[in-house]
Amino acid sequence: MEITEGVRFDTLGLSPEIMRAISARNITLSTPVQAGCIPPMMKWQDVIAKAPTGTGKTFAYGIPIVEHIDPEDESVQAVILAPTRELAIQITDELRDIAMYKPGVRSVCLYGGQPINRQIETLKKRPQIVIATPGRLADHMKRRTVRVDTAQTVVLDEADRMLDMGFIHDVTRLLDRMNKRRNLGLFSATISREVMDIAWVYQRDAEEITVREDEQNKPDIKQFRMDVTRDGQAGAIEKILNETGFDRCMAFCNTKGATERITKFLQMRGIDAQCIHGDIPQKKREQVMDLFRQGKLRVFVSTDVAARGIDVDDVDIVFNCDVPDENQDYIHRIGRTGRAKRQGVAVSFIADYPSKLRIDDIAKNTRNNIVPVRFGEDGHLEVI
């Protein structure tokens, strides 16, 4: 079933407590993926949803999960699996917002990089909702610090990404243990072969929801490409920020070393920039992301680990310091801007001939118009 429009939340038969939490965020109209997924999940149906990043998938499954939780029951009632710790943290924050007025609903976030003893202490408080990365959840299950066989709802968020990252055996082992589930939700930007395999084995008569990236749902993002040497990228970012006045920016690199280098060069130019990548301790990564979410950091530099894990509605501009290797990574990167009906800007730097071939391929296969620009003689940006 293809969904193109949202509906009013007050037509979905939600509880007063959930409606109060939604109203607290000044929302009245659902997104299409929420309109398509909430009714069948409320009826305990399996769902497979294909929807672009940034279309409100967390509320689409989070609202039915919170509605179904029995606060008197201290066993695990729902499990949400996410591919990255950043996404797991963000899902946890959104679920706590949804459950704000539902006393007795408790959740826990389990991911690698955080001391396991702290998570064990939280698990002793008997949370009913477990949000986790597959590896850390499997670790807790081996230690017998959590039991998930009582889960009634299981959700795989960013299922394509999770299975691409090699978690398929962890995921199937976990699903085999959660055999009392009443429904399984698969949420994905793309429906890969691996996602279809999971659906075939573990779902029954699933409601298929597709939200096409049409003009209504497609972010309004102006996309540009610019020939810039690697040594000239920090200077180009500085010039563009000075010209536009943008003050919330994300810059993506393909490698950990590149994120460190571009961050250092931006800082040398007096620009407030910090980076995260896989070698930076989790606590520091969370601090950097919190600064960015609070608007206290101008440039947030990252590898793709955070492309799906940070949710900020008002990123002004995205820079691709390296052209990503995968077309889908390009979509996820630029999807950080142009959200919540705002216009966004994305600039990709082309440092060599392979990068030019990649950006040409991305433009062709994603059907995006990526306009070539340069700095004119007067120092201002101009279309070539």
Side-chain angles (χ1 to χ4, degrees):
M1 178 169 60
E2 188 167 292
I3 308 286
T4 57
E5 293 182 357
V7 298
R8 289 182 60 90
F9 276 109
D10 59 14
T11 66
L12 293 174
L14 304 177
S15 67
E17 294 86 356
I18 295 290
M19 285 304 300
R20 190 177 167 198
I22 292 168
S23 298
R25 291 178 62 142
N26 294 317
I27 305 170
T28 54
L29 193 68
S30 78
T31 65
V33 72
Q34 292 159 2
C37 294
I38 289 173
M41 288 196 74
M42 289 291 288
K43 296 175 189 168
W44 298 102
Q45 284 179 259
D46 288 344
V47 163
I48 180 165
K50 177 178 181 286
T53 300
T55 50
K57 285 182 275 188
T58 309
F59 268 39
Y61 60 75
I63 287 173
I65 283 175
V66 174
E67 287 281 38
H68 284 150
I69 295 298
D70 176 3
E72 303 296 315
D73 181 353
E74 294 189 336
S75 64
V76 171
Q77 298 172 48
V79 174
I80 301 161
L81 296 176
T84 65
R85 60 193 79 179
E86 286 79 16
L87 182 57
I89 291 165
Q90 188 199 306
I91 292 166
T92 305
D93 290 341
E94 291 210 37
L95 255 68
R96 283 177 181 152
D97 281 351
I98 296 169
M100 189 185 308
Y101 301 107
K102 296 270 276 190
V105 175
R106 296 178 299 281
S107 57
V108 64
C109 189
L110 309 176
Y111 54 86
Q114 187 187 54
I116 199 161
N117 288 337
R118 192 186 309 168
Q119 295 174 357
I120 291 170
E121 285 304 309
T122 310
L123 285 165
K124 287 177 181 174
K125 296 175 183 171
R126 312 285 289 172
Q128 301 102 339
I129 305 173
V130 172
I131 304 102
T133 53
R136 180 49 68 98
L137 180 57
D139 192 11
H140 276 285
M141 288 170 67
K142 278 181 201 153
R143 292 167 180 257
R144 301 191 175 180
T145 49
V146 66
R147 275 188 60 184
V148 296
D149 58 309
T150 53
Q152 297 188 74
T153 296
V154 182
V155 167
L156 307 191
D157 198 348
E158 304 291 12
D160 53 345
R161 177 78 160 190
M162 192 152 33
L163 302 177
D164 284 348
M165 288 168 69
F167 285 126
I168 188 156
H169 296 302
D170 281 336
V171 168
T172 53
R173 273 196 296 268
L174 290 166
L175 288 173
D176 288 339
R177 294 285 292 276
M178 295 183 276
N179 56 6
K180 293 189 181 74
R181 66 184 180 279
R182 294 177 66 181
N183 62 341
L184 170 64
L186 299 179
F187 289 77
S188 200
T190 60
I191 303 299
S192 64
R193 175 59 196 269
E194 290 81 5
V195 174
M196 289 304 295
D197 286 346
I198 293 285
W200 177 258
V201 175
Y202 292 99
Q203 290 188 318
R204 293 289 174 270
D205 301 321
E207 186 79 40
E208 295 185 29
I209 310 296
T210 301
V211 178
R212 247 201 314 189
E213 203 170 52
D214 58 20
E215 291 313 305
Q216 182 182 357
N217 298 302
K218 192 170 182 177
D220 180 10
I221 304 170
K222 288 187 172 180
Q223 298 169 59
F224 303 102
R225 55 194 285 179
M226 176 182 282
D227 291 333
V228 183
T229 64
R230 298 203 189 283
D231 289 342
Q233 290 178 351
I237 290 174
E238 181 184 33
K239 278 186 182 177
I240 291 169
L241 295 187
N242 286 343
E243 183 164 332
T244 59
F246 290 153
D247 59 9
R248 188 173 288 202
C249 323
M250 293 188 78
F252 285 102
C253 304
N254 289 353
T255 65
K256 299 167 187 176
T259 63
E260 298 275 4
R261 180 180 57 81
I262 199 78
T263 303
K264 183 175 73 175
F265 286 144
L266 288 168
Q267 289 169 346
M268 286 166 61
R269 291 172 177 272
I271 295 171
D272 185 15
Q274 292 196 48
C275 68
I276 71 166
H277 55 67
D279 286 348
I280 288 177
Q282 180 62 23
K283 189 172 182 184
K284 173 69 173 171
R285 288 163 66 169
E286 288 175 30
Q287 287 170 350
V288 172
M289 285 195 291
D290 283 343
L291 283 174
F292 190 63
R293 285 192 186 101
Q294 294 164 23
K296 296 176 181 175
L297 177 65
R298 191 172 192 192
V299 183
F300 177 78
V301 187
S302 177
T303 51
D304 283 306
V305 70
R308 297 188 181 204
I310 186 167
D311 192 20
V312 178
D313 283 340
D314 50 356
V315 175
D316 298 315
I317 186 168
V318 168
F319 294 101
N320 286 312
C321 298
D322 298 312
V323 179
D325 295 326
E326 301 292 336
N327 296 352
Q328 203 60 36
D329 287 335
Y330 177 83
I331 298 298
H332 288 305
R333 286 182 183 187
I334 71 168
R336 300 299 97 199
T337 185
R339 304 183 81 162
K341 305 295 183 187
R342 295 184 179 88
Q343 186 177 70
V345 179
V347 179
S348 297
F349 295 140
I350 313 301
D352 50 31
Y353 188 66
S355 298
K356 178 189 178 301
L357 294 179
R358 278 291 307 125
I359 203 73
D360 288 344
D361 183 64
I362 287 168
K364 177 183 174 185
N365 287 298
T366 64
R367 298 195 295 278
N368 279 306
N369 183 27
I370 308 176
V371 179
V373 292
R374 67 185 176 196
F375 293 112
E377 290 180 11
D378 59 359
H380 295 299
L381 280 172
E382 62 181 29
V383 175
I384 299 174

